[in-house]
Amino acid sequence: MKEVTLTVDGKEITVPAGTLLIDACEANGIYIPRFCYHKHLFPSGNCRMCLVMIEKNPKPQPSCMTPVVEGMAVHTNTPEVAEIRKAILEFVLINHPLDCPICDKAGECMLQDQYMEFSGDKSRFNETKVAKEKLYHFGRKIIYDAERCITCSRCVRITEEVSKTNKLGIVERGDRSYVALAHGDTLDDDPYAYCVVDNCPVGALTAKYFRFKERVWYLHKTPSVCAGCSRGCNIWIETKDNKIYRVRPRENDAVNKSWMCDFGREYYILPPKNRASGAKINHYAVDYNKFVSEVAALLKEHAAETAFVASAYATNEELALAKQLVSHLGIKGIFHKKDRVWQESSGEVKEDDILIKQDKTPNMAGVKKTFPEAKDIEDMVISDFKYAFVWGPGAPLEKIDGLNLIVLSAMADQIWEKAKYNLAGRISSEKHGSFTNFNGIVQNFRRAIKGDNNYDELTFFIDVLKEVGADPIGRTVDEIQNAK
Amino acid sequence: MSHKKILLNFERNGTSHTLESYLKRGGYQTIAEKIPALSPAEVLEEVKKSAIRGRGGAGFPAGIKWSFLPKDNDKPVYLICNGDEGEPGTFKDRVILEENPHMLIEGMILASYAIRAKHAYIYIRGEYGFALERVKAAVKEAYETGYLGKPLKGTDFVCEITVHKGAGAYVVGDETGLMNSIEGKKGQTRNKPPFPAIEGLYKCPTIINNVETLASVPWIIANGGDAYHKIGTEKSSGTKLLSVSGHVRKPGVYEVELGYSFMDFLNNEAGGIIDGKKLKAVIPGGSSTPVLKPEDIKDMTIDYESITAAGSSLGSGAVIVIAEGTCMVKLLEILTHFYQHESCGQCTPCREGTGWLHRIVRRIEEGNGKMEDLDLLTSITKHIAFHTICPLGDAACGPVDSFVKKFRKEFEEHIKQGGCPYSGKFVRFQEKV
């Protein structure tokens, strides 16, 4: 690729041709403040926060709209630029309500942060602020506060460029302008609506599920991977006291850029109700160790007549241990199925060309890679088997009805009720591991919350392996990953 | 002094806008006689020779603007006539649109031919209902007669014109805002570069000119660029329409040769100050140009250089005359309110700053001002001007800076007295004729 060399504050930097100046500076350690510019949106150049001086140019230029040019000499640290930044911050703040103490954005607000870093001056504004509507319901998900809004148009561009619903627009002019929907419209059927909340530089757009629930600086952020579909969007799960308060996309250019869909988010923030719990044999709770030894003995004895149904919700590491177990025991009937944890909701998008994939399981690619010989459960010949080890929810009951069922699942569905042996597993936010997405990208995630009353599948397979006399390939996620 | 008349060379008798009347006074002759012999490059060359400067306000030479079009270009080229005359005090294009629309159409045919435009647009501001009617009727006549929609005599070039009505926004007078408006978007300006000549309407190369500029083209082609250049001064060639408003006896639109003495214009054409009052101030080129005091305009002539030297700008040629007895603070309050109202809200400095300016000036006028407000005003304008996408921010600052600088005493009086020393109302002198 062609490269361009320019100087920024006297330092020579080389970047690919066509890079925007703001990105070129950031990649070389010079952060240029911004409100409207977002790496994954088309620049609009309207907040004027990123103005810099370019030699031979009498007027300051927006660095978010300026592609780098060979030999360009840019100044970002002159007194003039500093003064412009202070002035823009003063302008942004004159009609801003300064209700930070009750604003959900406080603590991660770009306006707060950039004011502290680039200004800190006292305002000279002595007039009455422009009053606007504080409570616009953008449907069931989002609330808009027009007074806090700095009309950077990021949300408008998200609905234009990401979800392509074109639902939002800025109406009115001048300091009366605000973001609005068409009359009677809502953001409910926009599958990427929460992205406008994540990317609002101030607290103008807030999510109803998180509004006034918790201060952001108390939240513990865990990097995770969304289990809502086979895209595997990178996410932050934000928790406090073992409770998920908020889920936000984690930037990854190769998978989800800066976005994630609302169904994925609601998979975490509206946790499924019918969770399974405990270890049971014949519907009676038993000690975990007893369960392990009974199941191990049963599998060992009936290996030839057992169908093993792998879960596409399992992590790659659990699958590796399961693979070791079935090959050790010599189980031949291996199947996969389409899992489904949460109920289809109305208006749900089955698949689009943005992020959402039709396959709503996070790790079908991992299952197929670990068990290339696995067949679809729909093709199972039931008379070949007497037992079935069903892992994960969503197996078609009519296919396996009549078999003796051992169920390892996080969800209590029909199969769970029919099973002879039950062990409650965990969902992805409760465990460490990795998923392989539809593109074959393997992504690690960390445990965000503790899974009470449930058993870790990884430990279960380790225990069963030990019980049947095999040496597990690893005892932790790291060990298994290194062993592979 | 009698002036050469190019744009208003006829008597306005109620039928002057019709095709019949226009043909009678020699209209569309360039299409019939000159075009078959001239190549597009030669038309462009004549316009370049005439050195006519854009009459919209910025004064950029039109011929040079046209030659910015990319040479090897496979996209369609568009021509736009900017009839969104929104600058307070300006109403000169309206006279052409209402009284002489065929001259504009002829100019647009010539300009389209010169730049090989696929389609031309006339954008008329939403408030000009009557002008819109007249232009639409004229375009219809031109289509019926075959000047539009059919190959020009001796060539294979077809000119098409669409008349587009604006929705009433000052900011659309900026060329990129106007293009957004034609495209059906909100009237907000675009960042430059890319300039319209490279990427304009529908992302295609576009030339956009003021009504007055395009209406001058037929005369230039008929009489030659050199003949046009001989009118006026060396650097400001041709004639200019001036729209005079304010405290003069004969407000209206006058065509004068550039280089004419301003005082002569004020006393002769405009009829002098109303009621025999003394002159207090003049805004020479529309409300966004800096105000001038009587001593600034004594030796000033009406052309781009002289007015710039006097500390203002010819702008659109909208002369606003202010007589003694007018409260300048009240006048500034009205002007700042206009810019606050018309700011499109895109760029932070203009969106927030214009409202701030207005509120401070209003407070001073109401008698609640402080001395430090005057420095605050100039400090705010310093941060609005040249920090925005379009020149609306700059335009809002022109009057504030110049009013505070030149009439600082009046502002201080307001602050010291705690109120307006005048009636507190904007004075409208009534002279019985």
Side-chain angles (χ1 to χ4, degrees):
Chain A
M1 196 194 276
K2 230 188 116 205
E3 297 217 309
V4 167
T5 304
L6 65 155
T7 58
V8 179
D9 300 336
K11 190 174 126 189
E12 203 161 271
I13 64 172
T14 304
V15 292
T19 312
L20 291 171
L21 187 51
I22 195 167
D23 289 334
C25 290
E26 197 173 356
N28 288 279
I30 300 162
Y31 180 79
I32 295 180
R34 80 280 308 257
F35 290 114
C36 68
Y37 178 69
H38 188 287
K39 197 175 151 191
H40 294 122
L41 295 173
F42 191 77
S44 71
N46 66 33
C47 77
R48 316 308 281 179
M49 193 66 207
C50 70
L51 291 178
V52 293
M53 298 307 292
I54 300 171
E55 274 177 27
K56 292 181 192 150
N57 226 324
K59 289 205 276 182
Q61 296 296 315
S63 55
C64 71
M65 299 285 289
T66 314
V68 289
V69 174
E70 185 69 43
M72 192 184 236
V74 184
H75 297 281
T76 71
N77 58 359
T78 59
E80 194 182 357
V81 173
E83 202 184 320
I84 292 172
R85 289 174 179 173
K86 283 186 178 186
I88 302 292
L89 283 162
E90 187 178 31
F91 282 132
V92 170
L93 285 166
I94 64 171
N95 283 317
H96 193 76
L98 297 175
D99 55 353
C100 308
I102 56 151
C103 178
D104 285 301
K105 201 75 177 186
E108 55 179 21
C109 171
M110 288 176 78
L111 182 52
Q112 274 186 336
D113 293 350
Q114 293 185 158
Y115 172 75
M116 294 310 284
E117 188 170 350
F118 298 102
S119 174
D121 279 4
K122 201 166 170 278
S123 175
R124 298 170 296 170
F125 185 76
N126 261 329
E127 326 298 321
T128 322
K129 287 176 192 267
V130 174
K132 293 186 204 170
E133 181 68 48
K134 298 281 284 178
L135 193 75
Y136 276 109
H137 288 272
F138 280 4
R140 71 172 172 88
K141 300 176 190 167
I142 290 161
I143 283 178
Y144 172 65
D145 180 336
E147 283 191 342
R148 287 181 190 159
C149 180
I150 61 169
T151 57
C152 69
S153 80
R154 271 189 184 187
C155 52
V156 177
R157 284 175 286 146
I158 287 171
T159 61
E160 270 170 18
E161 296 166 33
V162 182
S163 64
K164 300 187 179 71
T165 54
N166 289 303
K167 276 179 178 280
L168 296 177
I170 295 179
V171 298
E172 267 292 352
R173 285 196 307 222
D175 51 14
R176 284 97 52 220
S177 46
Y178 60 93
V179 176
L181 287 156
H183 185 71
D185 200 3
T186 68
L187 280 181
D188 291 353
D189 51 345
D190 185 331
Y192 298 88
Y194 285 127
C195 289
V196 303
V197 177
D198 303 327
N199 293 291
C200 180
V202 293
L205 290 156
T206 44
K208 287 189 185 175
Y209 79 83
F210 182 65
R211 210 171 138 85
F212 303 132
K213 290 284 188 303
E214 194 50 80
R215 307 300 336 212
V216 294
W217 53 86
Y218 292 132
L219 295 177
H220 181 75
K221 286 166 81 178
T222 311
S224 186
V225 173
C226 177
C229 79
S230 58
R231 169 74 60 177
C233 291
N234 291 210
I235 56 171
W236 291 111
I237 299 182
E238 303 188 353
T239 55
K240 191 193 159 197
D241 299 339
N242 207 32
K243 186 182 165 206
I244 297 176
Y245 276 88
R246 186 166 68 163
V247 176
R248 292 197 301 159
R250 183 159 53 95
E251 192 180 309
N252 185 336
D253 284 4
V255 180
N256 58 320
K257 293 185 177 170
S258 303
W259 327 116
M260 74 180 291
C261 74
D262 293 358
F263 303 107
R265 214 177 298 234
E266 284 172 356
Y267 170 71
Y268 291 93
I269 58 178
L270 311 170
K273 284 178 190 124
N274 50 342
R275 279 297 298 273
S277 73
K280 291 178 198 166
I281 297 175
N282 288 330
H283 302 292
Y284 288 100
V286 293
D287 178 55
Y288 169 71
N289 292 328
K290 185 170 187 268
F291 183 88
V292 169
S293 55
E294 283 211 16
V295 167
L298 193 125
L299 287 176
K300 204 170 177 179
E301 199 185 329
H302 300 282
E305 42 194 6
T306 299
F308 180 84
V309 185
S311 167
Y313 271 90
T315 68
N316 289 329
E317 293 69 31
E318 291 159 10
L319 288 167
L321 289 177
K323 167 100 175 170
Q324 194 193 358
L325 180 67
V326 295
S327 32
H328 180 84
L329 294 173
I331 293 174
K332 291 283 180 301
I334 298 165
F335 300 92
H336 63 71
K337 63 176 180 336
K338 286 198 167 61
D339 294 2
R340 175 104 212 169
V341 164
W342 88 107
Q343 298 300 307
E344 271 185 40
S345 52
S346 64
E348 180 183 345
V349 177
K350 291 275 179 294
E351 175 156 343
D352 61 22
D353 52 1
I354 306 161
L355 291 178
I356 302 171
K357 302 300 290 178
Q358 174 135 36
D359 179 2
K360 301 294 179 195
T361 58
N363 204 18
M364 190 53 110
V367 171
K368 288 188 175 158
K369 204 168 147 200
T370 319
F371 299 105
E373 71 278 25
K375 285 181 278 189
D376 195 318
I377 194 165
E378 298 292 338
D379 304 331
M380 183 180 185
V381 183
I382 194 163
S383 55
D384 293 353
F385 305 103
K386 268 170 98 178
Y387 291 87
F389 183 96
V390 182
W391 186 5
L397 180 64
E398 65 284 0
K399 275 316 293 188
I400 46 175
D401 206 7
L403 296 179
N404 294 308
L405 297 178
I406 307 156
V407 173
L408 167 61
S409 173
M411 295 295 141
D413 59 359
Q414 284 175 307
I415 303 278
W416 174 270
E417 303 298 337
K418 287 260 176 184
K420 242 177 141 175
Y421 298 85
N422 301 79
L423 184 69
R426 291 184 178 174
I427 57 176
S428 67
S429 54
E430 297 165 349
K431 56 192 179 188
H432 302 310
S434 70
F435 287 145
T436 307
N437 86 342
F438 76 104
N439 256 344
I441 301 174
V442 180
Q443 307 186 98
N444 283 326
F445 54 88
R446 309 295 301 166
R447 182 167 68 203
I449 48 172
K450 279 183 265 171
D452 296 336
N453 307 322
N454 299 316
Y455 300 94
D456 188 6
E457 282 100 326
L458 203 70
T459 321
F460 170 73
F461 281 111
I462 290 169
D463 293 344
V464 175
L465 276 168
K466 282 198 261 179
E467 196 72 29
V468 297
D471 182 27
I473 55 169
R475 281 174 174 75
T476 63
V477 169
D478 287 348
E479 275 179 32
I480 297 166
Q481 283 184 354
N482 292 334
K484 276 201 281 183
Chain B
M1 180 176 164
S2 79
H3 287 278
K4 175 99 201 139
K5 297 279 191 277
I6 290 176
L7 299 161
L8 303 179
N9 57 349
F10 55 91
E11 202 187 330
R12 285 155 73 174
N13 54 11
T15 57
S16 58
H17 61 279
T18 57
L19 180 64
E20 194 191 343
S21 163
Y22 185 62
L23 287 173
K24 247 184 232 164
R25 51 179 196 262
Y28 288 114
Q29 264 177 17
T30 56
I31 309 290
E33 291 164 16
K34 298 275 180 180
I35 283 291
L38 286 175
S39 71
E42 283 165 329
V43 175
L44 174 58
E45 195 49 42
E46 286 305 317
V47 175
K48 262 191 181 169
K49 267 192 216 159
S50 76
I52 182 171
R53 296 174 64 163
R55 302 298 197 220
F60 193 81
I64 297 180
K65 198 179 201 179
W66 293 6
S67 56
F68 283 156
L69 284 174
K71 294 283 170 295
D72 44 348
N73 158 50
D74 50 359
K75 288 182 185 169
V77 177
Y78 293 107
L79 174 77
I80 301 175
C81 166
N82 185 345
D84 189 85
E85 190 181 38
E87 181 80 13
T90 315
F91 45 89
K92 45 115 190 158
D93 291 341
R94 178 177 171 179
V95 179
I96 298 175
L97 295 170
E98 287 178 3
E99 301 294 338
N100 206 0
H102 280 288
M103 192 175 229
L104 172 65
I105 292 168
E106 187 179 351
M108 287 183 71
I109 295 171
L110 293 168
S112 297
Y113 179 66
I115 63 171
R116 306 299 283 184
K118 183 182 159 63
H119 205 106
Y121 291 86
I122 305 178
Y123 187 98
I124 298 176
R125 70 179 290 199
E127 292 87 339
Y128 278 3
F130 185 53
L132 181 79
E133 240 171 66
R134 284 259 167 109
V135 172
K136 271 189 171 169
V139 168
K140 197 169 162 238
E141 278 180 320
Y143 266 108
E144 281 162 2
T145 337
Y147 292 117
L148 296 175
K150 289 202 180 116
L152 300 182
K153 197 174 141 195
T155 70
D156 58 352
F157 181 78
V158 182
C159 181
E160 302 274 358
I161 292 182
T162 302
V163 184
H164 192 104
K165 179 177 176 287
Y170 171 68
V171 72
V172 172
D174 178 274
E175 46 193 23
T176 54
L178 194 151
M179 286 169 199
N180 271 353
S181 177
I182 292 184
E183 288 178 15
K185 297 174 184 153
K186 192 176 180 187
Q188 288 185 326
T189 51
R190 304 177 190 164
N191 273 284
K192 288 191 264 189
F195 287 93
I198 309 297
E199 198 182 298
L201 188 65
Y202 303 116
K203 298 212 161 175
C204 295
T206 305
I207 291 298
I208 176 161
N209 281 117
N210 183 254
V211 172
E212 195 185 340
T213 320
L214 288 169
S216 304
V217 175
W219 196 92
I220 293 169
I221 301 304
N223 299 285
D226 291 326
Y228 191 84
H229 200 177
K230 283 198 189 99
I231 310 169
T233 69
E234 174 59 29
K235 284 189 174 165
S236 308
S237 62
T239 63
K240 178 88 190 77
L241 292 185
L242 297 179
S243 55
V244 195
S245 59
H247 303 142
V248 288
R249 279 207 182 83
K250 294 194 289 180
V253 177
Y254 300 94
E255 183 170 14
V256 299
E257 286 177 25
L258 286 165
Y260 184 41
S261 154
F262 189 84
M263 283 316 283
D264 285 353
F265 171 75
L266 194 60
N267 293 326
N268 301 335
E269 271 81 1
I273 311 289
I274 211 163
D275 263 352
K277 298 251 182 201
K278 264 174 71 187
L279 178 67
K280 183 171 189 178
V282 166
I283 303 176
S287 70
S288 61
T289 57
V291 68
L292 296 175
K293 292 182 99 166
E295 56 265 34
D296 302 326
I297 59 171
K298 248 187 304 177
D299 308 315
M300 189 172 83
T301 53
I302 301 170
D303 56 69
Y304 293 94
E305 292 74 40
S306 175
I307 300 185
T308 308
S312 190
S313 153
L314 176 61
S316 60
V319 181
I320 302 171
V321 180
I322 299 148
E324 208 58 71
T326 311
C327 175
M328 297 306 276
V329 182
K330 183 73 192 171
L331 180 55
L332 184 62
E333 190 202 320
I334 292 167
L335 291 181
T336 51
H337 180 247
F338 172 79
Y339 289 105
Q340 184 221 3
H341 184 251
E342 291 297 340
S343 167
C344 81
Q346 216 182 162
C347 310
T348 309
C350 170
R351 179 183 70 235
E352 308 291 346
T354 49
W356 193 3
L357 289 174
H358 171 60
R359 276 172 274 177
I360 293 174
V361 176
R362 188 177 59 193
R363 195 156 46 77
I364 295 174
E365 169 66 13
E366 282 167 357
N368 300 320
K370 289 188 240 84
M371 279 301 172
E372 52 271 30
D373 286 340
L374 299 181
D375 292 335
L376 182 59
L377 283 174
T378 41
S379 141
I380 296 169
T381 57
K382 192 179 148 211
H383 290 130
I384 302 177
F386 308 116
H387 293 171
T388 52
I389 294 174
C390 81
L392 195 149
D394 317 354
C397 298
V400 175
D401 279 339
S402 63
F403 273 56
V404 172
K405 196 172 145 214
K406 297 202 165 143
F407 296 93
R408 197 179 176 98
K409 256 179 100 180
E410 222 169 294
F411 282 82
E412 286 173 356
E413 257 173 59
H414 275 76
I415 294 166
K416 276 185 208 148
Q417 288 185 16
C420 183
Y422 300 90
S423 65
K425 281 183 191 151
F426 189 65
V427 188
R428 287 190 183 80
F429 295 103
Q430 296 276 321
E431 191 182 44
K432 291 188 182 73
V433 184

